[in-house]
Protein backbone atom coordinates (compact mmCIF):
# COMPACT_ATOMS: atom_id res chain seq x y z
CA UNK A 1 0.00 0.00 0.00
CA UNK A 2 1.52 3.32 -1.14
CA UNK A 3 -0.22 6.18 0.65
CA UNK A 4 0.19 9.68 -0.77
CA UNK A 5 -0.61 12.94 0.95
CA UNK A 6 -3.82 13.55 -0.99
CA UNK A 7 -7.40 13.00 0.12
CA UNK A 8 -8.32 9.63 1.63
CA UNK A 9 -11.86 8.50 2.43
CA UNK A 10 -12.41 7.66 6.09
CA UNK A 11 -13.60 4.14 5.24
CA UNK A 12 -10.25 3.39 3.61
CA UNK A 13 -8.17 3.68 6.79
CA UNK A 14 -8.92 0.13 7.89
CA UNK A 15 -8.04 -1.28 4.47
CA UNK A 16 -4.72 0.57 4.55
CA UNK A 17 -3.89 -0.70 8.04
CA UNK A 18 -4.69 -4.28 6.95
CA UNK A 19 -2.02 -4.22 4.22
CA UNK A 20 1.19 -6.19 4.60
CA UNK A 21 3.41 -3.17 4.00
CA UNK A 22 2.47 0.53 4.10
CA UNK A 23 4.62 3.31 2.69
CA UNK A 24 3.93 6.95 3.58
CA UNK A 25 5.70 10.14 2.57
CA UNK A 26 7.77 12.86 4.25
CA UNK A 27 5.73 14.26 7.16
CA UNK A 28 3.23 11.36 7.05
CA UNK A 29 0.37 13.76 6.38
CA UNK A 30 -1.81 10.72 5.61
CA UNK A 31 -1.34 9.32 9.12
CA UNK A 32 -4.59 9.31 11.09
CA UNK A 33 -7.27 9.83 8.47
CA UNK A 34 -5.45 7.34 6.26
CA UNK A 35 -4.78 4.78 8.98
CA UNK A 36 -1.73 4.43 11.17
CA UNK A 37 0.26 1.44 9.97
CA UNK A 38 3.60 2.72 8.66
CA UNK A 39 6.35 0.33 7.61
CA UNK A 40 8.39 2.78 5.52
CA UNK A 41 8.55 6.55 5.16
CA UNK A 42 9.73 7.78 1.77
CA UNK A 43 11.53 11.09 2.16
CA UNK A 44 12.71 13.79 -0.18
CA UNK A 45 16.38 13.71 0.89
CA UNK A 46 17.54 16.89 -0.83
CA UNK A 47 16.76 20.57 -0.49
CA UNK A 48 14.38 22.33 1.86
CA UNK A 49 12.05 19.41 2.66
CA UNK A 50 15.00 17.29 3.84
CA UNK A 51 16.45 20.11 5.91
CA UNK A 52 13.05 20.81 7.50
CA UNK A 53 12.39 17.19 8.44
CA UNK A 54 15.83 16.54 9.89
CA UNK A 55 15.70 19.77 11.87
CA UNK A 56 12.26 19.07 13.31
CA UNK A 57 11.90 17.29 16.67
CA UNK A 58 8.20 16.89 15.76
CA UNK A 59 9.10 14.95 12.61
CA UNK A 60 11.53 12.71 14.48
CA UNK A 61 8.88 12.02 17.14
CA UNK A 62 5.97 11.52 14.72
CA UNK A 63 4.34 8.14 15.46
CA UNK A 64 4.48 7.19 11.78
CA UNK A 65 8.20 7.93 11.58
CA UNK A 66 8.85 6.23 14.92
CA UNK A 67 7.03 3.04 13.93
CA UNK A 68 8.55 2.80 10.43
CA UNK A 69 11.19 0.12 10.04
CA UNK A 70 12.61 1.74 6.92
CA UNK A 71 13.34 5.21 5.57
CA UNK A 72 13.46 5.42 1.76
CA UNK A 73 15.43 8.32 0.28
CA UNK A 74 13.93 8.96 -3.16
CA UNK A 75 16.75 11.06 -4.62
CA UNK A 76 20.02 9.49 -5.69
CA UNK A 77 22.87 11.76 -4.47
CA UNK A 78 24.94 11.23 -7.62
CA UNK A 79 21.99 12.10 -9.88
CA UNK A 80 21.24 15.31 -7.98
CA UNK A 81 24.89 16.37 -7.79
CA UNK A 82 24.97 16.18 -11.60
CA UNK A 83 21.80 18.30 -11.82
CA UNK A 84 23.20 21.16 -9.74
CA UNK A 85 25.12 23.05 -12.45
CA UNK A 86 22.39 22.90 -15.16
CA UNK A 87 19.73 23.94 -12.62
CA UNK A 88 21.85 26.91 -11.54
CA UNK A 89 21.42 28.22 -15.10
CA UNK A 90 17.81 27.24 -15.80
CA UNK A 91 16.32 27.69 -12.32
CA UNK A 92 18.70 29.89 -10.29
CA UNK A 93 16.02 30.36 -7.61
CA UNK A 94 16.36 26.66 -6.75
CA UNK A 95 19.92 27.08 -5.53
CA UNK A 96 19.41 24.69 -2.59
CA UNK A 97 17.33 22.11 -4.49
CA UNK A 98 20.25 19.68 -4.87
CA UNK A 99 21.66 20.10 -1.35
CA UNK A 100 22.08 16.50 -0.26
CA UNK A 101 21.08 15.20 3.16
CA UNK A 102 21.38 11.47 2.48
CA UNK A 103 24.15 11.03 5.04
CA UNK A 104 22.03 12.72 7.69
CA UNK A 105 19.16 10.32 7.00
CA UNK A 106 21.63 7.43 7.20
CA UNK A 107 22.73 8.72 10.62
CA UNK A 108 19.10 9.11 11.75
CA UNK A 109 18.41 5.50 10.75
CA UNK A 110 21.52 4.27 12.54
CA UNK A 111 20.43 6.10 15.71
CA UNK A 112 16.88 4.73 15.58
CA UNK A 113 17.49 1.16 14.38
CA UNK A 114 15.92 1.65 10.96
CA UNK A 115 17.02 0.46 7.52
CA UNK A 116 17.93 3.24 5.08
CA UNK A 117 17.07 2.55 1.45
CA UNK A 118 18.40 4.96 -1.19
CA UNK A 119 16.52 4.59 -4.48
CA UNK A 120 19.07 4.53 -7.30
CA UNK A 121 19.25 6.89 -10.23
CA UNK A 122 18.39 4.06 -12.66
CA UNK A 123 14.84 4.10 -11.24
CA UNK A 124 14.61 7.89 -11.65
CA UNK A 125 15.86 7.67 -15.25
CA UNK A 126 13.46 4.83 -16.07
CA UNK A 127 10.58 6.96 -14.76
CA UNK A 128 11.71 9.86 -16.96
CA UNK A 129 11.75 7.51 -19.95
CA UNK A 130 8.28 6.13 -19.15
CA UNK A 131 6.84 9.62 -18.68
CA UNK A 132 8.21 10.75 -22.05
CA UNK A 133 5.52 8.64 -23.76
CA UNK A 134 2.92 11.11 -22.45
CA UNK A 135 4.67 14.27 -23.74
CA UNK A 136 4.95 15.99 -20.36
CA UNK A 137 5.35 19.75 -20.15
CA UNK A 138 8.89 20.79 -19.12
CA UNK A 139 9.57 19.58 -15.57
CA UNK A 140 12.50 19.24 -13.18
CA UNK A 141 12.00 15.84 -11.55
CA UNK A 142 9.24 13.27 -11.13
CA UNK A 143 7.37 13.36 -7.84
CA UNK A 144 8.48 11.25 -4.89
CA UNK A 145 5.28 9.25 -5.30
CA UNK A 146 6.13 8.29 -8.87
CA UNK A 147 9.67 7.26 -7.91
CA UNK A 148 8.34 5.07 -5.09
CA UNK A 149 5.74 3.46 -7.36
CA UNK A 150 8.52 2.56 -9.82
CA UNK A 151 10.76 1.21 -7.06
CA UNK A 152 7.97 -0.97 -5.65
CA UNK A 153 6.96 -2.32 -9.07
CA UNK A 154 10.62 -3.12 -9.82
CA UNK A 155 11.48 -4.68 -6.47
CA UNK A 156 8.21 -6.48 -5.64
CA UNK A 157 7.03 -7.69 -9.02
CA UNK A 158 4.63 -10.27 -7.56
CA UNK A 159 3.07 -8.01 -4.94
CA UNK A 160 -0.44 -6.60 -5.22
CA UNK A 161 0.26 -2.87 -5.13
CA UNK A 162 -2.48 -0.40 -4.21
CA UNK A 163 -2.37 3.41 -4.17
CA UNK A 164 -4.29 5.67 -1.82
CA UNK A 165 -4.19 9.44 -1.45
CA UNK A 166 -2.75 10.12 -4.91
CA UNK A 167 -4.33 13.26 -6.37
CA UNK A 168 -1.45 13.95 -8.79
CA UNK A 169 -1.29 17.62 -7.85
CA UNK A 170 1.33 19.68 -6.06
CA UNK A 171 4.64 21.34 -6.87
CA UNK A 172 4.54 23.03 -10.28
CA UNK A 173 7.80 21.43 -11.50
CA UNK A 174 6.60 17.82 -11.12
CA UNK A 175 4.95 16.38 -14.28
CA UNK A 176 1.69 15.50 -12.57
CA UNK A 177 -0.52 15.24 -15.68
CA UNK A 178 1.88 12.75 -17.29
CA UNK A 179 2.25 10.89 -13.97
CA UNK A 180 -1.52 10.41 -13.75
CA UNK A 181 -1.51 8.99 -17.30
CA UNK A 182 1.39 6.66 -16.49
CA UNK A 183 -0.32 5.40 -13.32
CA UNK A 184 -3.55 4.88 -15.27
CA UNK A 185 -1.57 2.85 -17.83
CA UNK A 186 -0.13 0.68 -15.03
CA UNK A 187 -3.65 0.19 -13.65
CA UNK A 188 -4.99 -0.77 -17.08
CA UNK A 189 -2.16 -3.32 -17.36
CA UNK A 190 -3.09 -4.81 -13.97
CA UNK A 191 0.16 -3.75 -12.26
CA UNK A 192 -1.47 -1.31 -9.82
CA UNK A 193 -4.86 -0.41 -8.45
CA UNK A 194 -6.31 2.60 -6.68
CA UNK A 195 -7.99 2.26 -3.30
CA UNK A 196 -11.31 3.82 -4.18
CA UNK A 197 -14.78 2.46 -4.91
CA UNK A 198 -14.41 0.71 -8.22
CA UNK A 199 -10.87 -0.61 -7.96
CA UNK A 200 -11.61 -1.89 -4.46
CA UNK A 201 -14.67 -3.81 -5.63
CA UNK A 202 -13.07 -5.20 -8.80
CA UNK A 203 -9.75 -6.11 -7.22
CA UNK A 204 -7.78 -8.07 -9.80
CA UNK A 205 -5.59 -10.40 -7.78
CA UNK A 206 -2.51 -11.41 -9.72
CA UNK A 207 -3.73 -9.74 -12.90
Amino acid sequence: MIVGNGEIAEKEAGVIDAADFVIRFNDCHSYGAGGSRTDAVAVCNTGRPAKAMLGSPQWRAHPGVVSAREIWSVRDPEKFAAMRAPLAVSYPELDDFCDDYTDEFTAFCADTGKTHVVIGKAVHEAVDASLSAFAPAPYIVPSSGMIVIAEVLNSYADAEVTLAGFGHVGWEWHPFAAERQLVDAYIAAGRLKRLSGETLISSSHGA
Side-chain angles (χ1 to χ4, degrees), residues 3-8 24-34 62:
V3 188
N5 287 331
E7 211 168 295
I8 298 169
R24 301 183 193 273
F25 291 86
N26 290 324
D27 61 0
C28 296
H29 180 71
S30 64
Y31 189 95
H62 188 288

Side-chain angles (χ1 to χ4, degrees), residues 49 73 84 99 115 118 157 159 164 168 185 207:
S73 286
R84 186 182 289 276
D99 290 358
T115 300
V118 181
H168 304 289

Side-chain angles (χ1 to χ4, degrees), residues 117-136:
V117 176
V118 181
I119 298 177
K121 66 178 181 177
V123 173
H124 185 131
E125 287 162 3
V127 169
D128 283 332
S130 297
L131 288 168
S132 68
F134 303 100

Side-chain angles (χ1 to χ4, degrees), residues 1 11-12 15 160-165 183-184 186-188 190-205:
M1 188 74 68
K11 63 181 183 189
E12 295 174 351
V15 183
E160 183 180 300
V161 184
T162 303
L163 307 184
V183 167
D184 286 345
Y186 286 147
I187 290 169
R191 299 188 69 194
L192 281 177
K193 60 180 186 173
R194 291 187 195 272
L195 183 57
S196 54
E198 256 179 64
T199 47
L200 195 57
I201 294 161
S202 62
S203 61
S204 49
H205 293 278

Side-chain angles (χ1 to χ4, degrees), residues 60 69 71 102-116:
R60 291 169 178 266
R69 304 192 306 271
I71 300 291
T102 307
D103 288 348
E104 287 83 348
F105 280 110
T106 298
F108 169 72
C109 288
D111 289 345
T112 54
K114 302 183 193 303
T115 300
H116 188 203

